[in-house]
Amino acid sequence: MKIWLNGKFVKEEEAKVDITSAGFLYGQGAFETMRAYNERVFRLDSHLERLFKALPMLNLELTVGAEVLKKAVKQALKENNLKDAYLRITVWQGKDKAEAAVFARAYNFLNKEDYCKGFKAIISSFRQNEFSILSGIKSSNYLHLLLAYQEVKKKNADEAVLLNTRGFLAEASRANIFLVKDNCLLTPSLGCGCLPGITRDTVLGLAGKEKIKAIEAKLKLEDIQGADEAFLTNSLIEIMSLVSVDGRPIKKGTPGKITELLLGRYRSLV
């Protein structure tokens, strides 16, 4: 794999960073993960906008702009001979200045059977701190979400749902969460500590076009248990049905009609 590192492409084994930097030692950094379809990255401009909004919040001053990173993302696909791929941009505090890296790699995307089956989730023992600035950005300081996902592996599930410090739903360890109740779409408000996801934003837009009422609100655990449908969203999984939480099925324990409708509309948009 070839990686774009501070302005030039290098082989993976040649990509080195200073281990005494704040980015390595303390997680002072931000990142974006994206998905390419046939050499085109879905909503690349939105990802870059979110990244550059996060940088000053982390006291990071990058000497290159969004256009440079956009070109690096597109070139990373060519350098690695990829059309459909996982991409990541990372910006971190180096020893003297902010540094950046971009890479693209092949990825085992979910298949039709996965979407027919849906995801099983657990309620994580970790909480999201909705009062922290880190809750609204994709920070390299990602430990609690990583640990939450590791809980998933131990319990033979697919995702972990995190509550915030006040007991409201926040997000999943790697995704935003949506519920459907009485044909109305519900999702935690940004004030609950969830990431302003690019796919989340896309789904809200699609719901409007389909005349589906969407509400951003303070939701509780019992709202999941009483939902007609639920699903998770991020750039890699797109829209994935959530069929059970902590072993309790959501409604019939199968993907719902509105989830399937929105997934179809999302893929048409892609």
Side-chain angles (χ1 to χ4, degrees), residues 27-33 47 49-60 91 128-130 132-142 144-145 171 173 176 190 193-197:
Q28 186 183 2
F31 70 98
E32 289 289 327
T33 54
H47 282 282
E49 180 181 351
R50 184 172 66 180
L51 175 66
F52 275 87
K53 184 178 180 180
L55 296 185
M57 297 169 69
L58 297 170
N59 291 328
L60 292 170
V91 179
Q128 177 67 293
N129 181 4
E130 69 274 23
S132 170
I133 63 167
L134 300 182
S135 66
I137 61 177
K138 290 187 75 71
S139 164
S140 298
N141 208 312
Y142 200 78
H144 72 295
L145 295 174
E171 59 186 353
S173 70
N176 288 109
L190 297 181
C194 69
L195 181 77

mmCIF file of all heavy atoms in Angstrom, residues 27-33 47 49-60 91 128-130 132-142 144-145 171 173 176 190 193-197:
data_model
loop_
_atom_site.group_PDB
_atom_site.id
_atom_site.type_symbol
_atom_site.label_atom_id
_atom_site.label_comp_id
_atom_site.label_asym_id
_atom_site.label_seq_id
_atom_site.Cartn_x
_atom_site.Cartn_y
_atom_site.Cartn_z
ATOM 1 N N GLY A 27 -2.932 11.606 21.441
ATOM 2 C CA GLY A 27 -4.103 11.524 20.569
ATOM 3 C C GLY A 27 -4.591 12.871 20.084
ATOM 4 O O GLY A 27 -5.788 13.037 19.809
ATOM 5 N N GLN A 28 -3.679 13.861 19.979
ATOM 6 C CA GLN A 28 -4.082 15.176 19.464
ATOM 7 C C GLN A 28 -4.161 15.089 17.942
ATOM 8 O O GLN A 28 -3.194 15.326 17.240
ATOM 9 C CB GLN A 28 -3.086 16.264 19.889
ATOM 10 C CG GLN A 28 -3.540 17.674 19.487
ATOM 11 C CD GLN A 28 -2.517 18.742 19.853
ATOM 12 O OE1 GLN A 28 -1.452 18.445 20.381
ATOM 13 N NE2 GLN A 28 -2.842 19.990 19.555
ATOM 14 N N GLY A 29 -5.323 14.734 17.476
ATOM 15 C CA GLY A 29 -5.497 14.572 16.043
ATOM 16 C C GLY A 29 -6.954 14.363 15.696
ATOM 17 O O GLY A 29 -7.817 14.211 16.571
ATOM 18 N N ALA A 30 -7.238 14.370 14.415
ATOM 19 C CA ALA A 30 -8.594 14.140 13.913
ATOM 20 C C ALA A 30 -8.496 13.306 12.648
ATOM 21 O O ALA A 30 -7.447 13.270 11.993
ATOM 22 C CB ALA A 30 -9.300 15.463 13.638
ATOM 23 N N PHE A 31 -9.598 12.652 12.308
ATOM 24 C CA PHE A 31 -9.567 11.814 11.113
ATOM 25 C C PHE A 31 -10.937 11.763 10.461
ATOM 26 O O PHE A 31 -11.950 12.141 11.052
ATOM 27 C CB PHE A 31 -9.090 10.405 11.458
ATOM 28 C CG PHE A 31 -10.064 9.585 12.274
ATOM 29 C CD1 PHE A 31 -10.907 8.664 11.670
ATOM 30 C CD2 PHE A 31 -10.130 9.735 13.652
ATOM 31 C CE1 PHE A 31 -11.798 7.918 12.421
ATOM 32 C CE2 PHE A 31 -11.023 8.984 14.414
ATOM 33 C CZ PHE A 31 -11.865 8.079 13.795
ATOM 34 N N GLU A 32 -10.962 11.295 9.233
ATOM 35 C CA GLU A 32 -12.194 11.046 8.498
ATOM 36 C C GLU A 32 -12.068 9.703 7.794
ATOM 37 O O GLU A 32 -11.011 9.386 7.233
ATOM 38 C CB GLU A 32 -12.446 12.135 7.443
ATOM 39 C CG GLU A 32 -12.839 13.483 8.006
ATOM 40 C CD GLU A 32 -14.242 13.479 8.600
ATOM 41 O OE1 GLU A 32 -15.111 12.750 8.090
ATOM 42 O OE2 GLU A 32 -14.461 14.224 9.576
ATOM 43 N N THR A 33 -13.120 8.904 7.826
ATOM 44 C CA THR A 33 -13.160 7.669 7.058
ATOM 45 C C THR A 33 -14.233 7.805 5.989
ATOM 46 O O THR A 33 -15.324 8.334 6.255
ATOM 47 C CB THR A 33 -13.461 6.448 7.942
ATOM 48 O OG1 THR A 33 -14.667 6.681 8.681
ATOM 49 C CG2 THR A 33 -12.330 6.208 8.917
ATOM 50 N N HIS A 47 -16.941 15.501 4.081
ATOM 51 C CA HIS A 47 -15.946 14.958 5.008
ATOM 52 C C HIS A 47 -14.829 15.963 5.262
ATOM 53 O O HIS A 47 -14.396 16.152 6.407
ATOM 54 C CB HIS A 47 -15.364 13.666 4.449
ATOM 55 C CG HIS A 47 -16.256 12.476 4.621
ATOM 56 N ND1 HIS A 47 -16.375 11.814 5.818
ATOM 57 C CD2 HIS A 47 -17.072 11.841 3.748
ATOM 58 C CE1 HIS A 47 -17.242 10.806 5.682
ATOM 59 N NE2 HIS A 47 -17.675 10.804 4.433
ATOM 60 N N GLU A 49 -14.999 19.220 4.935
ATOM 61 C CA GLU A 49 -15.547 20.349 5.685
ATOM 62 C C GLU A 49 -15.603 20.032 7.176
ATOM 63 O O GLU A 49 -15.244 20.867 8.015
ATOM 64 C CB GLU A 49 -16.944 20.678 5.155
ATOM 65 C CG GLU A 49 -17.608 21.844 5.865
ATOM 66 C CD GLU A 49 -19.001 22.131 5.351
ATOM 67 O OE1 GLU A 49 -19.401 21.543 4.320
ATOM 68 O OE2 GLU A 49 -19.716 22.938 5.987
ATOM 69 N N ARG A 50 -16.031 18.824 7.511
ATOM 70 C CA ARG A 50 -16.098 18.439 8.921
ATOM 71 C C ARG A 50 -14.706 18.359 9.527
ATOM 72 O O ARG A 50 -14.484 18.769 10.670
ATOM 73 C CB ARG A 50 -16.827 17.098 9.062
ATOM 74 C CG ARG A 50 -17.029 16.671 10.504
ATOM 75 C CD ARG A 50 -17.926 15.447 10.616
ATOM 76 N NE ARG A 50 -17.315 14.258 10.019
ATOM 77 C CZ ARG A 50 -17.903 13.060 9.997
ATOM 78 N NH1 ARG A 50 -19.104 12.904 10.514
ATOM 79 N NH2 ARG A 50 -17.295 12.033 9.444
ATOM 80 N N LEU A 51 -13.749 17.822 8.764
ATOM 81 C CA LEU A 51 -12.378 17.727 9.253
ATOM 82 C C LEU A 51 -11.802 19.105 9.558
ATOM 83 O O LEU A 51 -11.242 19.328 10.642
ATOM 84 C CB LEU A 51 -11.508 17.013 8.219
ATOM 85 C CG LEU A 51 -10.015 16.938 8.544
ATOM 86 C CD1 LEU A 51 -9.770 16.077 9.772
ATOM 87 C CD2 LEU A 51 -9.235 16.394 7.347
ATOM 88 N N PHE A 52 -11.935 20.029 8.631
ATOM 89 C CA PHE A 52 -11.335 21.352 8.818
ATOM 90 C C PHE A 52 -12.076 22.167 9.870
ATOM 91 O O PHE A 52 -11.501 23.097 10.448
ATOM 92 C CB PHE A 52 -11.267 22.092 7.481
ATOM 93 C CG PHE A 52 -10.042 21.732 6.687
ATOM 94 C CD1 PHE A 52 -10.052 20.643 5.836
ATOM 95 C CD2 PHE A 52 -8.868 22.450 6.823
ATOM 96 C CE1 PHE A 52 -8.924 20.275 5.117
ATOM 97 C CE2 PHE A 52 -7.722 22.099 6.115
ATOM 98 C CZ PHE A 52 -7.748 21.010 5.261
ATOM 99 N N LYS A 53 -13.310 21.815 10.153
ATOM 100 C CA LYS A 53 -14.023 22.443 11.255
ATOM 101 C C LYS A 53 -13.485 21.947 12.593
ATOM 102 O O LYS A 53 -13.449 22.680 13.588
ATOM 103 C CB LYS A 53 -15.524 22.151 11.143
ATOM 104 C CG LYS A 53 -16.367 22.850 12.184
ATOM 105 C CD LYS A 53 -17.849 22.557 11.968
ATOM 106 C CE LYS A 53 -18.698 23.251 13.017
ATOM 107 N NZ LYS A 53 -20.162 22.971 12.815
ATOM 108 N N ALA A 54 -13.036 20.685 12.615
ATOM 109 C CA ALA A 54 -12.539 20.086 13.855
ATOM 110 C C ALA A 54 -11.127 20.543 14.210
ATOM 111 O O ALA A 54 -10.783 20.623 15.397
ATOM 112 C CB ALA A 54 -12.567 18.562 13.737
ATOM 113 N N LEU A 55 -10.300 20.827 13.214
ATOM 114 C CA LEU A 55 -8.886 21.114 13.465
ATOM 115 C C LEU A 55 -8.650 22.257 14.453
ATOM 116 O O LEU A 55 -7.863 22.093 15.393
ATOM 117 C CB LEU A 55 -8.154 21.377 12.148
ATOM 118 C CG LEU A 55 -8.091 20.198 11.166
ATOM 119 C CD1 LEU A 55 -7.231 20.554 9.961
ATOM 120 C CD2 LEU A 55 -7.566 18.935 11.843
ATOM 121 N N PRO A 56 -9.277 23.434 14.298
ATOM 122 C CA PRO A 56 -9.021 24.505 15.276
ATOM 123 C C PRO A 56 -9.501 24.154 16.677
ATOM 124 O O PRO A 56 -8.964 24.658 17.665
ATOM 125 C CB PRO A 56 -9.787 25.702 14.705
ATOM 126 C CG PRO A 56 -10.789 25.124 13.768
ATOM 127 C CD PRO A 56 -10.158 23.896 13.209
ATOM 128 N N MET A 57 -10.487 23.269 16.793
ATOM 129 C CA MET A 57 -10.967 22.853 18.114
ATOM 130 C C MET A 57 -9.911 22.030 18.834
ATOM 131 O O MET A 57 -9.907 21.933 20.060
ATOM 132 C CB MET A 57 -12.252 22.032 17.948
ATOM 133 C CG MET A 57 -13.396 22.819 17.329
ATOM 134 S SD MET A 57 -14.807 21.771 16.856
ATOM 135 C CE MET A 57 -15.400 21.305 18.471
ATOM 136 N N LEU A 58 -8.985 21.443 18.053
ATOM 137 C CA LEU A 58 -7.908 20.635 18.617
ATOM 138 C C LEU A 58 -6.564 21.365 18.562
ATOM 139 O O LEU A 58 -5.514 20.761 18.768
ATOM 140 C CB LEU A 58 -7.800 19.308 17.848
ATOM 141 C CG LEU A 58 -9.033 18.406 17.936
ATOM 142 C CD1 LEU A 58 -8.912 17.249 16.961
ATOM 143 C CD2 LEU A 58 -9.215 17.883 19.354
ATOM 144 N N ASN A 59 -6.609 22.671 18.279
ATOM 145 C CA ASN A 59 -5.393 23.493 18.161
ATOM 146 C C ASN A 59 -4.433 22.936 17.112
ATOM 147 O O ASN A 59 -3.216 22.908 17.310
ATOM 148 C CB ASN A 59 -4.676 23.615 19.515
ATOM 149 C CG ASN A 59 -5.454 24.457 20.511
ATOM 150 O OD1 ASN A 59 -6.159 25.393 20.118
ATOM 151 N ND2 ASN A 59 -5.347 24.126 21.787
ATOM 152 N N LEU A 60 -4.990 22.520 15.995
ATOM 153 C CA LEU A 60 -4.183 22.005 14.887
ATOM 154 C C LEU A 60 -4.244 22.986 13.728
ATOM 155 O O LEU A 60 -5.332 23.392 13.298
ATOM 156 C CB LEU A 60 -4.705 20.636 14.431
ATOM 157 C CG LEU A 60 -4.528 19.486 15.421
ATOM 158 C CD1 LEU A 60 -5.297 18.259 14.942
ATOM 159 C CD2 LEU A 60 -3.055 19.151 15.597
ATOM 160 N N VAL A 91 -5.068 13.729 10.504
ATOM 161 C CA VAL A 91 -4.264 14.924 10.786
ATOM 162 C C VAL A 91 -3.908 14.882 12.263
ATOM 163 O O VAL A 91 -4.772 14.630 13.106
ATOM 164 C CB VAL A 91 -5.034 16.223 10.466
ATOM 165 C CG1 VAL A 91 -4.173 17.450 10.805
ATOM 166 C CG2 VAL A 91 -5.455 16.253 9.000
ATOM 167 N N GLN A 128 -20.910 8.031 26.708
ATOM 168 C CA GLN A 128 -20.428 9.141 25.900
ATOM 169 C C GLN A 128 -20.592 10.431 26.698
ATOM 170 O O GLN A 128 -21.665 10.687 27.260
ATOM 171 C CB GLN A 128 -21.226 9.223 24.589
ATOM 172 C CG GLN A 128 -20.869 10.387 23.685
ATOM 173 C CD GLN A 128 -19.479 10.279 23.103
ATOM 174 O OE1 GLN A 128 -18.493 10.371 23.839
ATOM 175 N NE2 GLN A 128 -19.383 10.077 21.809
ATOM 176 N N ASN A 129 -19.535 11.225 26.752
ATOM 177 C CA ASN A 129 -19.590 12.494 27.480
ATOM 178 C C ASN A 129 -20.079 13.582 26.536
ATOM 179 O O ASN A 129 -19.318 14.132 25.743
ATOM 180 C CB ASN A 129 -18.210 12.855 28.031
ATOM 181 C CG ASN A 129 -18.223 14.162 28.814
ATOM 182 O OD1 ASN A 129 -19.277 14.775 29.009
ATOM 183 N ND2 ASN A 129 -17.056 14.593 29.261
ATOM 184 N N GLU A 130 -21.357 13.893 26.632
ATOM 185 C CA GLU A 130 -21.957 14.871 25.723
ATOM 186 C C GLU A 130 -21.465 16.291 25.973
ATOM 187 O O GLU A 130 -21.688 17.184 25.145
ATOM 188 C CB GLU A 130 -23.488 14.823 25.837
ATOM 189 C CG GLU A 130 -24.073 15.324 27.132
ATOM 190 C CD GLU A 130 -24.126 14.258 28.221
ATOM 191 O OE1 GLU A 130 -23.357 13.282 28.170
ATOM 192 O OE2 GLU A 130 -24.941 14.421 29.158
ATOM 193 N N SER A 132 -18.235 17.042 26.327
ATOM 194 C CA SER A 132 -16.890 17.151 25.773
ATOM 195 C C SER A 132 -16.934 17.591 24.315
ATOM 196 O O SER A 132 -17.789 17.137 23.540
ATOM 197 C CB SER A 132 -16.170 15.803 25.877
ATOM 198 O OG SER A 132 -14.961 15.826 25.139
ATOM 199 N N ILE A 133 -16.002 18.466 23.921
ATOM 200 C CA ILE A 133 -15.932 18.862 22.512
ATOM 201 C C ILE A 133 -15.583 17.674 21.629
ATOM 202 O O ILE A 133 -15.885 17.664 20.435
ATOM 203 C CB ILE A 133 -14.905 19.982 22.280
ATOM 204 C CG1 ILE A 133 -13.481 19.510 22.628
ATOM 205 C CG2 ILE A 133 -15.262 21.236 23.040
ATOM 206 C CD1 ILE A 133 -12.394 20.446 22.129
ATOM 207 N N LEU A 134 -14.981 16.649 22.206
ATOM 208 C CA LEU A 134 -14.574 15.491 21.419
ATOM 209 C C LEU A 134 -15.768 14.672 20.947
ATOM 210 O O LEU A 134 -15.649 13.900 19.996
ATOM 211 C CB LEU A 134 -13.636 14.599 22.235
ATOM 212 C CG LEU A 134 -12.330 15.240 22.714
ATOM 213 C CD1 LEU A 134 -11.485 14.220 23.467
ATOM 214 C CD2 LEU A 134 -11.546 15.808 21.540
ATOM 215 N N SER A 135 -16.917 14.824 21.593
ATOM 216 C CA SER A 135 -18.077 14.022 21.212
ATOM 217 C C SER A 135 -18.611 14.412 19.838
ATOM 218 O O SER A 135 -19.268 13.614 19.177
ATOM 219 C CB SER A 135 -19.190 14.164 22.258
ATOM 220 O OG SER A 135 -19.706 15.485 22.285
ATOM 221 N N GLY A 136 -18.324 15.628 19.411
ATOM 222 C CA GLY A 136 -18.868 16.103 18.138
ATOM 223 C C GLY A 136 -17.904 16.042 16.985
ATOM 224 O O GLY A 136 -18.228 16.513 15.883
ATOM 225 N N ILE A 137 -16.711 15.497 17.194
ATOM 226 C CA ILE A 137 -15.724 15.420 16.121
ATOM 227 C C ILE A 137 -15.114 14.018 16.084
ATOM 228 O O ILE A 137 -15.205 13.265 17.044
ATOM 229 C CB ILE A 137 -14.601 16.466 16.309
ATOM 230 C CG1 ILE A 137 -13.853 16.222 17.621
ATOM 231 C CG2 ILE A 137 -15.168 17.883 16.281
ATOM 232 C CD1 ILE A 137 -12.696 17.172 17.835
ATOM 233 N N LYS A 138 -14.483 13.704 14.963
ATOM 234 C CA LYS A 138 -13.801 12.407 14.852
ATOM 235 C C LYS A 138 -12.363 12.601 15.328
ATOM 236 O O LYS A 138 -11.448 12.806 14.543
ATOM 237 C CB LYS A 138 -13.865 11.887 13.416
ATOM 238 C CG LYS A 138 -15.264 11.452 13.001
ATOM 239 C CD LYS A 138 -15.280 10.798 11.645
ATOM 240 C CE LYS A 138 -14.739 9.387 11.648
ATOM 241 N NZ LYS A 138 -15.657 8.434 12.319
ATOM 242 N N SER A 139 -12.208 12.522 16.624
ATOM 243 C CA SER A 139 -10.910 12.740 17.243
ATOM 244 C C SER A 139 -10.098 11.450 17.292
ATOM 245 O O SER A 139 -10.658 10.358 17.437
ATOM 246 C CB SER A 139 -11.107 13.273 18.664
ATOM 247 O OG SER A 139 -9.933 13.154 19.434
ATOM 248 N N SER A 140 -8.791 11.590 17.211
ATOM 249 C CA SER A 140 -7.909 10.431 17.374
ATOM 250 C C SER A 140 -7.929 9.916 18.810
ATOM 251 O O SER A 140 -7.451 8.819 19.082
ATOM 252 C CB SER A 140 -6.473 10.805 16.981
ATOM 253 O OG SER A 140 -6.410 11.173 15.622
ATOM 254 N N ASN A 141 -8.488 10.715 19.713
ATOM 255 C CA ASN A 141 -8.662 10.300 21.102
ATOM 256 C C ASN A 141 -9.935 9.456 21.167
ATOM 257 O O ASN A 141 -10.992 9.906 21.592
ATOM 258 C CB ASN A 141 -8.794 11.540 21.995
ATOM 259 C CG ASN A 141 -8.308 11.281 23.390
ATOM 260 O OD1 ASN A 141 -8.672 10.284 23.985
ATOM 261 N ND2 ASN A 141 -7.499 12.183 23.914
ATOM 262 N N TYR A 142 -9.807 8.198 20.769
ATOM 263 C CA TYR A 142 -10.945 7.349 20.408
ATOM 264 C C TYR A 142 -11.107 6.152 21.341
ATOM 265 O O TYR A 142 -11.852 5.234 21.056
ATOM 266 C CB TYR A 142 -10.679 6.859 18.969
ATOM 267 C CG TYR A 142 -11.865 6.367 18.191
ATOM 268 C CD1 TYR A 142 -12.768 7.264 17.612
ATOM 269 C CD2 TYR A 142 -12.059 5.007 17.981
ATOM 270 C CE1 TYR A 142 -13.833 6.813 16.862
ATOM 271 C CE2 TYR A 142 -13.128 4.544 17.237
ATOM 272 C CZ TYR A 142 -14.011 5.458 16.681
ATOM 273 O OH TYR A 142 -15.075 5.007 15.939
ATOM 274 N N HIS A 144 -12.449 5.245 24.312
ATOM 275 C CA HIS A 144 -13.684 4.702 24.896
ATOM 276 C C HIS A 144 -14.552 4.029 23.840
ATOM 277 O O HIS A 144 -15.225 3.029 24.109
ATOM 278 C CB HIS A 144 -14.455 5.790 25.645
ATOM 279 C CG HIS A 144 -15.110 6.812 24.785
ATOM 280 N ND1 HIS A 144 -14.402 7.688 23.993
ATOM 281 C CD2 HIS A 144 -16.436 7.094 24.576
ATOM 282 C CE1 HIS A 144 -15.253 8.469 23.336
ATOM 283 N NE2 HIS A 144 -16.473 8.134 23.665
ATOM 284 N N LEU A 145 -14.529 4.550 22.609
ATOM 285 C CA LEU A 145 -15.298 3.925 21.531
ATOM 286 C C LEU A 145 -14.651 2.614 21.091
ATOM 287 O O LEU A 145 -15.348 1.638 20.776
ATOM 288 C CB LEU A 145 -15.428 4.887 20.351
ATOM 289 C CG LEU A 145 -16.229 6.160 20.642
ATOM 290 C CD1 LEU A 145 -16.167 7.117 19.457
ATOM 291 C CD2 LEU A 145 -17.677 5.833 20.981
ATOM 292 N N GLU A 171 -24.961 7.316 20.557
ATOM 293 C CA GLU A 171 -24.589 6.751 19.263
ATOM 294 C C GLU A 171 -24.063 5.341 19.483
ATOM 295 O O GLU A 171 -23.982 4.871 20.620
ATOM 296 C CB GLU A 171 -23.515 7.615 18.601
ATOM 297 C CG GLU A 171 -22.243 7.747 19.428
ATOM 298 C CD GLU A 171 -21.242 8.722 18.817
ATOM 299 O OE1 GLU A 171 -21.461 9.203 17.695
ATOM 300 O OE2 GLU A 171 -20.227 8.993 19.482
ATOM 301 N N SER A 173 -20.738 2.617 18.706
ATOM 302 C CA SER A 173 -19.292 2.813 18.793
ATOM 303 C C SER A 173 -18.687 3.276 17.469
ATOM 304 O O SER A 173 -17.664 3.953 17.459
ATOM 305 C CB SER A 173 -18.600 1.518 19.245
ATOM 306 O OG SER A 173 -18.660 0.526 18.234
ATOM 307 N N ASN A 176 -23.998 6.188 13.814
ATOM 308 C CA ASN A 176 -25.154 6.875 14.372
ATOM 309 C C ASN A 176 -26.314 5.895 14.434
ATOM 310 O O ASN A 176 -26.328 4.884 13.735
ATOM 311 C CB ASN A 176 -25.536 8.079 13.504
ATOM 312 C CG ASN A 176 -24.550 9.226 13.618
ATOM 313 O OD1 ASN A 176 -23.805 9.507 12.679
ATOM 314 N ND2 ASN A 176 -24.536 9.895 14.755
ATOM 315 N N LEU A 190 -27.797 16.247 18.352
ATOM 316 C CA LEU A 190 -26.355 16.443 18.493
ATOM 317 C C LEU A 190 -25.987 16.782 19.935
ATOM 318 O O LEU A 190 -24.900 16.445 20.398
ATOM 319 C CB LEU A 190 -25.872 17.535 17.542
ATOM 320 C CG LEU A 190 -26.044 17.249 16.045
ATOM 321 C CD1 LEU A 190 -25.492 18.406 15.222
ATOM 322 C CD2 LEU A 190 -25.380 15.937 15.656
ATOM 323 N N GLY A 193 -24.570 14.123 22.352
ATOM 324 C CA GLY A 193 -23.190 13.640 22.284
ATOM 325 C C GLY A 193 -22.866 12.790 21.080
ATOM 326 O O GLY A 193 -21.807 12.168 21.044
ATOM 327 N N CYS A 194 -23.743 12.764 20.087
ATOM 328 C CA CYS A 194 -23.455 11.957 18.899
ATOM 329 C C CYS A 194 -22.659 12.761 17.876
ATOM 330 O O CYS A 194 -22.687 13.994 17.861
ATOM 331 C CB CYS A 194 -24.734 11.429 18.272
ATOM 332 S SG CYS A 194 -25.778 12.676 17.501
ATOM 333 N N LEU A 195 -21.949 12.048 17.031
ATOM 334 C CA LEU A 195 -21.202 12.669 15.942
ATOM 335 C C LEU A 195 -22.174 13.173 14.883
ATOM 336 O O LEU A 195 -23.150 12.486 14.571
ATOM 337 C CB LEU A 195 -20.256 11.640 15.325
ATOM 338 C CG LEU A 195 -19.376 12.140 14.174
ATOM 339 C CD1 LEU A 195 -18.222 12.971 14.725
ATOM 340 C CD2 LEU A 195 -18.844 10.954 13.362
ATOM 341 N N PRO A 196 -21.936 14.358 14.318
ATOM 342 C CA PRO A 196 -22.753 14.800 13.184
ATOM 343 C C PRO A 196 -22.351 14.029 11.932
ATOM 344 O O PRO A 196 -21.608 14.517 11.075
ATOM 345 C CB PRO A 196 -22.426 16.300 13.085
ATOM 346 C CG PRO A 196 -21.049 16.428 13.635
ATOM 347 C CD PRO A 196 -20.965 15.389 14.735
ATOM 348 N N GLY A 197 -22.808 12.800 11.841
ATOM 349 C CA GLY A 197 -22.373 11.892 10.784
ATOM 350 C C GLY A 197 -22.774 12.356 9.394
ATOM 351 O O GLY A 197 -23.864 12.906 9.204
#
